[in-house]
């Protein structure tokens, strides 16, 4: 409207000898939407809408997920559920939280310009019931545009027995979100919340996967469970209704430090590699774990080289410095099938 009024005024005055016909042509050209090449010439991998947290400094949420997916060849459009100065493990943080209506406003803006075709939806940390309810609407909207949409859900609820979010979010995830997911990537505590099953053995982990399959998602990855002093990833792929899922484990070496953003990165890597190997979740998990472990070892070594006590606080991951480990991981951690 402002542009139109400005053009009309210029037309009346014929400033600088520019005639009204030329101004009208400029107006029409500026009103045209440019071609979106990620839609017109899509990559071989896909186009991802990633809805997660964002920090100005450090690598968690979208900061931990978007760059690796781009390295693996994906077009990624991030929506930040929160925007904080830094992650909440620091002594203080400041920022803004997006609500459900604000999320939907962004989706409507994309829809108004025919920009809602995505091959993948990725969701991570969500801090409110209203926002999670809007996520449900987003899933349905994206699937109305592309019925083949893959929804990869990291149900960020908590870890090591501690909730990060309000308890009612766990209920909403269990009853409404899990049935919509194509792949679910909970940690041990989150899997217990979603299934009501206490996980104290590998068999418990496998059974938790079965319970989650029954709720909807054909692919489930328990990204980290601690059993008998060992750290494991347990993956499960139910390829056909009525068939038993193909299940496997990967033993993960424990690193004596605490890192931030690793769950967000793991889920992004699983999305990236699983799309390249859709019928081989084992291989996708091997590649994801191998990338992650190389990155964590580099992070630990760099902090030690800087003379930092790695036990004193959580460590920010060295994402940019590890991009070759993301692009071309050397598989050092192999999946072992249960059946």
């Amino acid at each position: 409207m402002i542009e139109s009024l400005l053009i009309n005024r210029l037309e009346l005055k014929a400033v600088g000898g520019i005639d009204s016909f030329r101004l009208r042509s400029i107006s029409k050209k500026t009103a045209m939407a440019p071609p979106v090449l990620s839609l017109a010439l899509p990559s071989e991998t896909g186009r991802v809408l990633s809805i997660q947290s964002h920090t100005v400094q450090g690598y968690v949420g979208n900061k931990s997920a978007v760059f690796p997916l781009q390295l693996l060849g994906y077009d990624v459009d991030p929506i930040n559920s929160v925007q904080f100065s830094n992650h909440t493990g620091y002594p203080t943080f400041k920022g803004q939280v997006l609500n459900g209506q604000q999320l939907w406003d962004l989706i409507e803006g994309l829809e108004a310009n025919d920009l809602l075709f995505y091959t993948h939806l990725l969701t991570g940390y969500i801090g409110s019931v209203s926002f999670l309810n809007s996520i449900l609407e987003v899933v349905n909207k994206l699937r109305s545009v592309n019925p083949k949409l893959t929804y990869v859900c990291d149900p960020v609820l908590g870890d090591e027995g501690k909730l990060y979010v309000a308890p009612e979010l766990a209920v909403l995830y269990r009853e409404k979100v899990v049935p919509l997911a194509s792949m679910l990537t909970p940690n041990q505590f989150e899997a217990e919340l979603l299934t009501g099953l206490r996980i104290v053995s590998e068999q418990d982990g496998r059974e938790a996967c079965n319970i989650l399959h029954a709720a909807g998602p054909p692919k489930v990855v328990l990204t980290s469970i601690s059993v008998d002093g060992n750290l494991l990833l347990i993956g499960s792929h139910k390829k056909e209704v009525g068939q038993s899922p193909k299940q496997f484990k990967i033993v993960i070496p424990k690193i004596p430090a605490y890192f931030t953003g690793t769950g967000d990165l793991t889920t992004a890597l699983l999305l990236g590699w699983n799309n390249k190997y859709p019928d081989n979740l084992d291989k996708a998990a091997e590649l994801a774990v191998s990338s992650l472990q190389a990155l964590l070892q580099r992070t630990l070594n760099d902090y030690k080289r800087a003379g930092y006590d790695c036990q004193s606080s959580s460590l920010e991951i060295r994402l940019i410095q590890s991009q070759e480990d993301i692009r071309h991981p050397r598989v050092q951690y192999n999946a072992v099938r249960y059946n």
Side-chain angles (χ1 to χ4, degrees):
M1 177 61 78
I2 293 173
E3 181 186 37
S4 176
L5 289 172
L6 187 59
I7 293 295
N8 288 339
R9 288 178 183 175
L10 287 171
E11 285 178 354
L12 289 172
K13 293 182 179 180
V15 176
I18 301 174
D19 60 39
S20 62
F21 175 79
R22 184 181 172 193
L23 284 169
R24 280 195 295 270
S25 298
I26 293 171
S27 177
K28 287 180 181 178
K29 287 180 181 178
T30 56
M32 290 175 61
V36 180
L37 291 181
S38 63
L39 292 175
L41 302 172
S43 68
E44 294 180 0
T45 46
R47 189 165 186 255
V48 182
L49 180 64
S50 179
I51 306 176
Q52 301 193 61
S53 61
H54 169 84
T55 57
V56 176
Q57 192 280 332
Y59 295 98
V60 300
N62 270 330
K63 286 282 292 289
S64 188
V66 172
F67 180 63
L69 284 170
Q70 290 172 330
L71 288 177
L72 293 177
Y74 295 81
D75 286 305
V76 188
D77 294 343
I79 292 179
N80 300 324
S81 59
V82 303
Q83 178 171 262
F84 290 158
S85 55
N86 43 266
H87 70 70
T88 57
Y90 282 88
T92 184
F93 66 93
K94 292 190 175 183
Q96 301 80 38
V97 178
L98 210 67
N99 63 38
Q101 183 56 53
Q102 290 168 326
L103 169 62
W104 194 246
D105 287 344
L106 295 172
I107 297 300
E108 287 184 328
L110 292 169
E111 183 179 28
N113 292 290
D114 295 324
L115 299 175
L116 269 189
F117 184 89
Y118 290 96
T119 57
H120 296 77
L121 171 65
L122 171 61
T123 62
Y125 174 79
I126 292 162
S128 70
V129 169
S130 75
F131 198 93
L132 191 53
N133 276 318
S134 289
I135 290 289
L136 296 172
E137 296 182 50
V138 171
V139 176
N140 291 328
K141 174 64 73 174
L142 295 184
R143 282 187 169 149
S144 73
V145 177
N146 176 19
K148 295 182 179 180
L149 176 87
T150 297
Y151 174 27
V152 177
C153 174
D154 181 7
V156 181
L157 296 168
D159 198 7
E160 296 181 348
K162 180 182 177 182
L163 271 172
Y164 297 155
V165 297
E168 52 264 34
L169 262 76
V171 178
L172 188 54
Y173 266 107
R174 184 167 58 246
E175 295 180 354
K176 300 291 185 180
V177 180
V178 170
L180 297 177
S182 310
M183 179 190 290
L184 197 71
T185 62
N187 60 33
Q188 182 171 357
F189 177 62
E190 291 158 350
E192 291 176 339
L193 286 173
L194 294 174
T195 62
L197 177 68
R198 179 86 171 127
I199 299 173
V200 296
S201 67
E202 290 184 43
Q203 185 56 44
D204 291 337
R206 297 179 65 188
E207 181 56 29
C209 290
N210 291 334
I211 293 171
L212 293 169
H213 283 314
K219 295 179 182 179
V220 177
V221 179
L222 307 188
T223 54
S224 61
I225 71 169
S226 182
V227 174
D228 297 329
N230 297 314
L231 191 63
L232 306 174
L233 175 148
I234 293 182
S236 186
H237 184 188
K238 190 170 186 176
K239 297 185 179 183
E240 299 288 342
V241 176
Q243 287 186 356
S244 297
K246 302 296 182 182
Q247 297 184 326
F248 62 91
K249 68 176 178 180
I250 299 177
V251 179
I252 304 172
K254 288 187 175 182
I255 296 178
Y258 180 79
F259 305 88
T260 57
T262 55
D264 309 315
L265 174 58
T266 300
T267 297
L269 292 172
L270 285 168
L271 184 162
W273 288 115
N274 176 73
N275 192 56
K276 294 174 185 289
Y277 302 100
D279 293 320
N280 195 342
L281 187 58
D282 315 40
K283 184 177 181 67
E286 288 176 341
L287 290 161
V289 169
S290 295
S291 283
L292 179 67
Q293 291 302 307
L295 177 147
L296 295 183
Q297 193 59 56
R298 174 176 284 102
T299 300
L300 189 69
N301 293 342
D302 285 355
Y303 271 99
K304 287 180 177 178
R305 191 154 53 92
Y308 188 82
D309 179 5
C310 296
Q311 300 293 316
S312 63
S313 67
S314 61
L315 309 181
E316 298 277 12
I317 58 175
R318 298 284 275 173
L319 190 67
I320 305 304
Q321 294 76 12
S322 303
Q323 53 189 285
E324 281 307 305
D325 295 311
I326 295 169
R327 279 199 191 97
H328 307 293
R330 186 161 60 95
V331 175
Q332 293 182 291
Y333 306 96
N334 299 110
V336 178
R337 288 202 173 184
Y338 286 111
N339 45 14

